[in-house]
């Protein structure tokens, strides 16, 4: 799908889904998930590559395929609800959410201490942002810049309509400085933290092998003194589940790099436990594990003509 068609598709989704009967809409998105699963498109293959680490080397193909089907359905449920969420009323969002541990997070915020909520790609993180905003704590988050620009603006406007402040990861203001200012002022920053987009984050152990995760949450906690609190999300029938975990203290260490890596490792430990408990709701179709990052880099070098330079290096 080219950029223009992607923009039109998302625009149609936000317009049509919120106006269609919910039962019909959910059935359509489930069929889309099943089609992607049956044809084993690129996203499904990526999901299975990651789920295989979770299940272990002795898992059967049948077990992996069953879990990936449930995973694709959960992933498309996220997309359906993303389009539908602006039309959901406050009572629905608040009433169908089950939560635990939120009191500790809100206690920090009410005392004037900033909080970094670090989330894996589980459940529905847009719903979680809308939910906490409805409770009176508007979160600041970061979004990867999409192409075309009009599509990125649609996503930004959508999340802002839910009560969030959205900062572009690239091409905008000093995102790290802005996040630090929000935290020092006692604000809430929500960051997806189980995938390092550039593949250059600290290496941690994750499901028994090296994986790359972003350094941002740990570095911000170190720089600002904000509370670093992992948050896990999953579905249970019609309900959304949100669990706020105990604060992860910044780890001691001889160097800043050591402290950030050790703190990120503790985040990975919490994420691993929660993903293992709700594997079908881990929406990770992209590269996470170090060996896969290395394979991606080899493919990029080959596509660049074997020059040894990244394909974007001119």
């Amino acid at each position: 799908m080219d950029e223009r068609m992607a923009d039109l598709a998302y625009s149609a989704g936000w317009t049509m889904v919120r106006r269609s009967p919910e039962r019909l809409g959910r059935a359509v998105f489930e069929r889309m998930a099943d089609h992607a699963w049956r044809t084993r498109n690129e996203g499904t293959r990526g999901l299975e590559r990651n789920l295989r680490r979770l299940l272990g080397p002795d898992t059967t193909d049948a077990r992996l395929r069953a879990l990936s089907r449930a995973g694709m359905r959960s992933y498309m449920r996220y997309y359906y609800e993303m389009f539908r969420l602006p039309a959901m009323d406050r009572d629905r969002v608040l009433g169908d959410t089950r939560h635990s541990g939120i009191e500790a997070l809100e206690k920090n915020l009410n005392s004037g201490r900033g909080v970094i909520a670090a989330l894996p790609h589980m459940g529905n993180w847009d719903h979680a942002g809308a939910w906490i905003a409805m409770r009176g704590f508007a979160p600041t988050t970061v979004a990867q810049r999409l192409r075309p620009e009009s599509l990125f603006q649609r996503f930004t406007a959508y999340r802002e309509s839910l009560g969030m402040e959205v900062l572009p990861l690239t091409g905008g203001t000093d995102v790290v400085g802005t996040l630090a200012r929000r935290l020092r002022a006692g604000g809430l920053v929500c960051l997806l933290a189980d995938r390092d987009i550039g593949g250059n984050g600290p290496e941690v152990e994750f499901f028994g092998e090296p994986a790359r995760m972003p350094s941002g949450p740990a570095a911000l906690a170190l720089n600002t003194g904000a509370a670093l609190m992992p948050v896990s999300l999953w579905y249970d029938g019609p309900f959304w589940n949100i669990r706020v975990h105990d604060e992860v203290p910044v780890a001691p260490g001889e160097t800043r790099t050591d402290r950030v890596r050790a703190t990120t490792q503790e985040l990975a430990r919490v994420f691993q436990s929660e993903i293992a408990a709700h594997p079908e709701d881990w929406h990770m179709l992209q590269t996470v594990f170090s060996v896969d990052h290395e394979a991606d880099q080899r493919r990029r070098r080959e596509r660049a003509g074997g020059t040894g330079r990244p394909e974007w290096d001119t």
Side-chain angles (χ1 to χ4, degrees):
M1 183 184 298
D2 62 27
E3 294 176 6
R4 180 173 176 275
M5 289 303 297
D7 188 25
L8 291 173
Y10 277 92
S11 176
W14 270 301
T15 301
M16 296 173 62
V17 168
R18 70 181 71 180
R19 296 177 181 174
S20 302
E22 185 167 347
R23 184 175 178 181
L24 173 62
R26 289 188 183 276
V28 168
F29 274 70
E30 186 171 286
R31 291 187 66 179
M32 291 167 62
D34 286 348
H35 175 75
W37 177 81
R38 282 194 305 271
T39 59
R40 294 194 78 241
N41 66 3
E42 182 178 355
T44 303
R45 294 195 303 273
L47 178 63
E48 291 183 348
R49 182 174 60 185
N50 292 324
L51 290 175
R52 188 174 289 278
R53 274 55 177 253
L54 184 155
L55 294 173
D58 296 329
T59 193
T60 64
D61 288 344
R63 185 182 179 199
L64 176 63
R65 286 292 282 161
L67 182 56
S68 70
R69 184 179 191 182
M72 291 303 292
R73 286 185 170 188
S74 177
Y75 183 51
M76 291 308 294
R77 173 175 173 173
Y78 160 76
Y79 269 98
Y80 172 78
E81 291 176 351
M82 180 189 73
F83 292 130
R84 184 79 176 184
L85 197 54
M88 292 184 187
D89 61 34
R90 178 186 179 90
D91 290 344
R92 170 78 181 281
V93 173
L94 294 176
D96 285 352
T97 301
R98 296 170 171 172
H99 59 86
S100 62
I102 190 63
E103 296 80 10
L105 183 149
E106 292 183 343
K107 182 178 179 180
N108 277 312
L109 295 173
N110 286 326
S111 72
R113 186 185 183 200
V115 173
I116 304 157
L119 302 86
H121 287 75
M122 290 182 70
N124 190 326
W125 47 93
D126 285 329
H127 159 267
W131 176 80
I132 194 67
M134 288 178 182
R135 290 175 68 93
F137 301 97
T140 299
T141 190
V142 176
Q144 183 179 1
R145 189 173 288 279
L146 303 172
R147 296 175 59 186
E149 178 66 17
S150 56
L151 179 56
F152 174 73
Q153 293 300 330
R154 289 186 196 279
F155 266 96
T156 299
Y158 153 69
R159 291 187 169 124
E160 288 177 344
S161 75
L162 301 176
M164 307 180 212
E165 178 188 24
V166 182
L167 306 176
L169 180 61
T170 58
T173 58
D174 175 15
V175 62
V176 175
T178 301
L179 293 174
R181 287 191 293 273
R182 299 292 184 269
L183 291 168
R184 292 190 179 105
L188 172 63
V189 166
C190 297
L191 299 173
L192 291 166
D194 59 341
R195 178 173 74 97
D196 182 56
I197 295 174
N200 298 312
E203 196 168 63
V204 298
E205 182 180 319
F206 193 51
F207 290 107
E209 68 175 272
R212 296 285 181 181
M213 292 193 179
S215 61
L220 282 167
L222 177 60
N223 291 345
T224 67
L228 177 57
M229 306 188 77
V231 178
S232 53
L233 313 170
W234 69 96
Y235 294 121
D236 181 12
F239 299 103
W240 298 283
N241 285 268
I242 300 174
R243 180 184 177 189
V244 180
H245 298 261
D246 292 340
E247 177 182 348
V248 172
V250 175
E254 293 185 3
T255 68
R256 173 185 171 82
T257 299
D258 289 341
R259 299 183 72 187
V260 168
R261 192 208 65 78
T263 306
T264 305
Q265 177 65 71
E266 182 59 20
L267 272 182
R269 185 194 65 79
V270 177
F271 291 167
Q272 177 177 302
S273 176
E274 290 301 292
I275 291 166
H278 311 283
E280 68 280 3
D281 292 324
W282 187 37
H283 305 154
M284 185 50 67
L285 282 63
Q286 297 82 18
T287 301
V288 174
F289 296 93
S290 297
V291 67
D292 296 332
H293 277 295
E294 293 166 3
D296 289 346
Q297 290 170 359
R298 286 196 299 271
R299 285 191 290 269
R300 284 196 293 267
R301 287 195 296 269
E302 291 169 359
R303 287 199 299 268
T307 63
R309 299 194 308 272
E311 61 182 335
W312 58 84
D313 186 3
T314 57

